[in-house]
Amino acid sequence: MSIEALAEKARAGARLNEAEALEMYLSAPTPLLGQLADQQRWKRHPDRAVTYIIDRNVNYTNVCVARCSFCAFYRPVGSPEGYVLGFDEIFAKIDETIALGGGQLLLQGGHNPDLPLEWYEDLFRAVKSRYPAFRLHALSPPEVLHLSRLAQTTVPDVVRRLVAAGLDSIPGGGAEILVDRVRKLLHCYSKASADEWIDVMRHAHRAGLRTTATMMYGSVETPAERIEHMGRLRALQDETAGFTAFIAWSYQPEHTLLQGVEATAVEYLRTLATARLFLDNFPNLQASWVTQGAKVGQLSLAYGANDMGSVMIEENVVRAAGAAYCMDEIEIVRNIEDAGFEARRRNMHYDVLGGPVFRERQVPRLLELAVARADGHRSVPAELINYPARSRAERDRRTRT
Amino acid sequence: MKEQIQEAAARITAGYRLTDEAIGALAETRDILTLGMLADEARRLRHGTDTTFVRVAEVRVPLDDGARLEIPAAAREVRISDRTDSLTTLIPHVRRVVAAADGVPVSAFSLEALEAQAAISGRRLADLLAALRDAGADLIAEAALDQLSHAEHALEQVRKAGLGLARLTVQHTAGTAERLEHIIRARALQQSLGWIESFAPLGRSWPPGAPSTGYEDVRQVALARLLVDNIASIQVDWGRYGPKLAQVALTVGADDVDGVSPVDDTGEGRRRSPLEDIRRNILAAGLVPVERDGARRRVMS
Ligand code: SF4
């Protein structure tokens, strides 16, 4: 089919198949892709609203046995740079988040063999008893899978236990590209195959949880594999309708084993626009200003995105790989309004909570992102002793101390 | 709004003047896709898919006494910047840079700084420019149309001194009206001068904490291409705005990339070639990279 015929099909709101979406991605002029995506975006969101959330991205540990080749964040077990945040440190971060008008933690971390399922249950319970209304958007599918392996129980059981402890929703991290050829090349097949990632999400949706879905593109995959990834997500969404949003972000090569170069801004906008056309059952598409910067992040609103993602209070993973963009609520709202939209604060379920917090009360300005821990802070949380250590390195450390 | 933009573009293409109302609508539109598409068409009519870029070695003067001055071999323009407060003492330094440039075009200083210095020192701008030319400089590095006291006169002096101008620039932009004013001013200057080859429409500095937005930048580049149709090249600065915005600018009317480093980045233990990077970005925007030098001559690679 010609690009014009495909464009007509998209304009009419008909579903594109994978081959058609690939053809559009590869060959449609960038402004045409943008216009088609923009039309679909307006059909879904005719009210001029662009949403964002105030939450805090907390990485509770950087110790990880998965060792994905695209990751600059993890440290191997026993590394002197490895850390686990203590419950008190996490509470302090929640206090800061609440002060900035936030109501949720996005909690993700490495696959640390010395943190058993009980540690997570205790943490979630402790958070919920201190902050009953506070939301926990936590543990991407590979982390859930890791816990099921550690605890030698099933994924539905892990999900059930975590929900009982306070889990509210699951972030779509760890998807990278849901094609096993790519996952093997990225050394992330063993942490979760494409089927396993999808399966965790299926169980989460069946358990009544809402989740997001991500795509890390621009590493070793082909354009066809990007579309295949979106195809897997679309199929599951047809089945469960459990995804709230799709977030595409470009692979950040600095400090990684895999190295390489970052995909360009135009490739990002084309990928985003194609996602808006192809993922016709996803209500929301987030702009990845964290990897693209504020300017291209704002331009995403013309290429299919209807959400500016999170007011980043803290970021460790993408920053470790070279990107360090920062926008506080004032900046995010300025960008939304400058593009002609109305800024609406939301929760993870995309329920609108209200307008900007800084217009209601004074909040501190955030001119740089916080980190998980200050440099040189090496303390080990006291409560860790309550949980059995699995790794030799951790057992040796405990013996020494 | 879309119809308004298309009608405005049709008038521009047909060589008609736009009404103030039509220009105002263009300057305020949030429909950056339509605007960008029209500007891209205008750019393709003029340049096709060719996208020029220049690798620039920045040299600050005064040079340290006795220090060896090495110009990276990949530089296609040597740009002298920094202090212009006492040009007479800097002229020997300019000579040293010109000698080290070994035939690579040399651009020097901003015209507004030279104009200001002339006013302070009581010397004629024409004399300062002549001194620069005699020292071997080929071009004035930039002229910010919002900073010059007598832009037209100062630019005429550049021409009379036998120097070129690397690019017409804008220093500050704040607000739609001011941005539009700059574009109209650039067009008017060229109407009376006729020899300006390149216009860089994005502000070179911005108030702390309030940088321009992506929409503003796209609109400014696209408007510059559509309205300043008497200047051949619309330029964007790679180093100043970063690869992401610079690449997007190339899809909405810009055709030339300034400020590409001539030196490989070996930071973080990883070699990165700016040449590979710029070519990759231009190709990924569906355009064809063409290297040029400071005198706008194409470099054969
Ligand atoms: S991406 Fe996640 S799972 Fe992979 S190495 Fe990094 S922290 Fe571990």
Side-chain angles (χ1 to χ4, degrees):
Chain A
M1 220 187 267
S2 69
I3 291 297
E4 205 23 67
L6 288 173
E8 264 321 303
K9 190 172 176 183
R11 270 186 208 109
R15 180 167 264 203
L16 299 180
N17 64 32
E18 287 190 20
E20 291 167 339
L22 180 61
E23 185 57 24
M24 288 300 274
Y25 175 74
L26 292 175
S27 308
T30 305
L32 173 66
L33 260 186
Q35 283 184 326
L36 294 170
D38 195 43
Q39 277 166 10
Q40 295 309 314
R41 176 229 182 282
W42 278 106
K43 267 189 201 162
R44 252 191 192 279
H45 302 280
D47 59 354
R48 304 200 77 79
V50 165
T51 46
Y52 65 95
I53 187 168
I54 303 178
D55 68 356
R56 183 166 188 151
N57 196 348
V58 171
N59 303 109
Y60 54 89
T61 180
N62 65 348
V63 174
C64 188
V65 290
R67 297 176 173 232
C68 307
S69 63
F70 59 85
C71 178
F73 167 70
Y74 81 88
R75 294 293 177 270
V77 175
S79 162
E81 291 173 4
Y83 73 81
V84 175
L85 295 181
F87 289 7
D88 283 343
E89 284 174 278
I90 292 174
F91 299 150
K93 288 173 188 289
I94 292 176
D95 289 334
E96 285 170 13
T97 308
I98 291 170
L100 289 165
Q104 172 177 287
L105 280 197
L106 165 52
L107 195 65
Q108 299 182 104
H111 300 188
N112 186 334
D114 298 312
L115 297 180
L117 182 53
E118 292 73 22
W119 181 87
Y120 296 84
E121 291 178 305
D122 291 347
L123 172 66
F124 289 7
R125 278 199 195 94
V127 169
K128 288 292 179 168
S129 79
R130 275 180 170 239
Y131 312 93
F134 203 77
R135 298 281 194 156
L136 289 170
H137 182 47
L139 308 187
S140 62
E143 289 166 273
V144 173
L145 205 59
H146 162 76
L147 287 176
S148 83
R149 289 168 182 162
L150 265 190
Q152 300 189 355
T153 184
T154 61
V155 165
D157 189 45
V158 173
V159 171
R160 185 189 53 73
R161 284 174 62 177
L162 291 172
V163 169
L167 177 68
D168 292 297
S169 55
I170 289 187
E176 331 313 354
I177 292 288
L178 292 169
V179 175
D180 286 340
R181 182 195 79 86
V182 177
R183 302 186 76 76
K184 284 175 185 164
L185 287 174
L186 294 178
H187 295 188
C188 66
Y189 175 75
S190 58
K191 79 173 177 185
S193 68
D195 283 349
E196 285 170 328
W197 190 97
I198 289 284
D199 216 40
V200 172
M201 286 308 200
R202 182 180 284 116
H203 287 303
H205 295 168
R206 281 184 186 158
L209 293 182
R210 288 288 163 267
T211 76
T212 54
T214 64
M215 173 170 82
M216 183 196 74
Y217 70 93
S219 60
V220 298
E221 83 285 356
T222 63
E225 285 166 333
R226 278 182 214 177
I227 305 292
E228 189 180 334
H229 172 99
M230 293 186 209
R232 302 275 334 238
L233 297 177
R234 186 169 81 174
L236 182 61
Q237 181 74 337
D238 279 343
E239 186 187 322
T240 63
F243 290 118
T244 55
F246 173 73
I247 309 136
W249 56 282
S250 54
Y251 160 60
Q252 303 291 310
E254 298 284 322
H255 312 296
T256 66
L257 200 63
L258 184 63
Q259 300 264 307
V261 291
E262 187 189 347
T264 67
V266 168
E267 286 167 286
Y268 170 72
L269 294 173
R270 294 182 66 86
T271 302
L272 179 68
T274 305
R276 177 53 90 186
L277 297 182
F278 184 74
L279 293 176
D280 56 355
N281 51 2
F282 272 67
N284 302 295
L285 258 66
Q286 281 188 22
S288 178
W289 59 263
V290 177
T291 59
Q292 301 303 313
K295 293 190 182 200
V296 176
Q298 186 202 31
L299 292 171
S300 306
L301 300 178
Y303 284 81
N306 65 298
D307 183 88
M308 280 295 266
S310 165
V311 168
M312 284 277 168
I313 298 169
E314 172 174 334
E315 212 295 318
N316 304 288
V317 177
V318 176
R319 186 215 311 256
Y325 298 108
C326 174
M327 282 209 281
D328 63 5
E329 192 194 26
I330 294 176
E331 264 304 287
I332 285 195
V333 169
R334 183 171 84 91
N335 275 280
I336 291 172
E337 293 177 347
D338 174 76
F341 297 99
E342 285 167 15
R344 294 275 178 274
R345 193 163 37 88
R346 64 161 174 89
N347 62 16
M348 188 273 162
H349 290 89
Y350 285 77
D351 304 321
V352 170
L353 304 176
V357 171
F358 72 86
R359 295 215 170 110
E360 289 163 14
R361 63 180 165 85
Q362 209 158 18
V363 285
R365 285 225 65 177
L366 248 185
L367 297 176
E368 64 179 33
L369 292 172
V371 289
R373 272 192 162 176
D375 269 353
H377 180 170
R378 295 253 186 274
S379 77
V380 177
E383 67 268 4
L384 271 195
I385 202 72
N386 301 328
Y387 306 94
R390 275 180 71 93
S391 74
R392 171 177 288 275
E394 179 60 11
R395 286 201 303 270
D396 287 351
R397 188 194 64 77
R398 289 186 192 181
T399 314
R400 280 197 310 274
T401 56
Chain B
M1 184 53 98
K2 185 175 263 166
E3 289 70 34
Q4 238 175 329
I5 297 172
Q6 270 161 345
E7 198 184 312
R11 285 186 70 85
I12 294 166
T13 320
Y16 295 122
R17 273 194 62 126
L18 289 183
T19 60
D20 289 351
E21 199 187 2
I23 292 175
L26 285 183
E28 278 181 358
T29 183
R30 258 81 179 233
D31 187 359
I32 54 165
L33 290 171
T34 306
L35 186 67
M37 204 148 52
L38 292 168
D40 188 48
E41 276 167 28
R43 170 243 205 267
R44 280 170 197 263
L45 275 178
R46 201 181 266 270
H47 301 282
T49 50
D50 282 3
T51 302
T52 46
F53 66 91
V54 59
R55 285 187 281 175
V56 179
E58 303 268 359
V59 181
R60 295 190 155 210
V61 290
L63 303 163
D64 292 337
D65 278 348
R68 257 189 73 200
L69 174 62
E70 276 189 52
I71 304 292
R76 302 290 177 248
E77 178 182 335
V78 178
R79 191 169 296 164
I80 303 174
S81 64
D82 223 336
R83 288 191 246 154
T84 53
D85 48 327
S86 68
L87 188 74
T88 33
T89 63
L90 292 180
I91 288 296
H93 296 268
V94 172
R95 273 206 198 93
R96 269 180 69 194
V97 178
V98 169
D102 197 22
V104 174
V106 174
S107 63
F109 308 127
S110 72
L111 187 57
E112 57 273 21
L114 293 167
E115 187 190 56
Q117 198 200 336
I120 293 165
S121 64
R123 294 183 63 185
R124 292 187 332 137
L125 175 62
D127 294 340
L128 297 183
L129 292 166
L132 273 180
R133 179 206 55 215
D134 293 346
D138 302 289
L139 304 140
I140 295 301
E142 60 188 73
L145 53 77
D146 55 330
Q147 301 294 303
L148 288 159
S149 306
H150 306 284
E152 205 173 313
H153 174 259
L155 285 161
E156 270 168 2
Q157 300 304 310
V158 171
R159 187 68 162 176
K160 278 189 188 150
L163 291 163
L165 174 69
R167 62 226 195 278
L168 186 67
T169 61
V170 171
Q171 190 62 32
H172 302 292
T173 46
T176 307
E178 198 182 346
R179 269 193 292 274
L180 186 56
E181 208 179 293
H182 292 151
I183 284 179
I184 292 168
R185 181 98 182 94
R187 185 187 160 95
L189 274 173
Q190 177 71 335
Q191 252 163 7
S192 65
L193 297 167
W195 53 268
I196 298 170
E197 292 181 291
S198 180
F199 176 44
L202 297 179
R204 304 178 75 70
S205 60
W206 41 84
S212 60
T213 64
Y215 269 57
E216 283 169 347
D217 289 352
V218 161
R219 212 160 30 215
Q220 188 71 353
V221 170
L223 273 180
R225 180 63 292 159
L226 288 170
L227 297 179
V228 191
D229 55 353
N230 53 359
I231 297 182
S233 187
I234 299 297
Q235 192 181 71
V236 64
D237 190 310
W238 182 258
R240 193 176 301 258
Y241 307 108
K244 289 183 191 293
L245 184 82
Q247 189 202 28
V248 171
L250 296 177
T251 67
V252 294
D255 59 276
D256 182 64
V257 186
D258 185 28
V260 178
S261 168
V263 186
D264 283 358
D265 175 5
T266 51
E268 317 297 354
R270 197 163 73 88
R271 186 180 164 277
R272 266 178 73 157
S273 157
L275 186 61
E276 278 168 30
D277 249 11
I278 182 78
R279 284 194 173 139
R280 186 170 66 87
N281 271 271
I282 292 173
L283 288 168
L287 300 163
V288 177
V290 177
E291 183 161 23
R292 69 164 177 89
D293 71 6
R296 312 197 77 79
R297 292 177 299 227
R298 293 186 169 214
V299 175
M300 296 301 155
S301 53

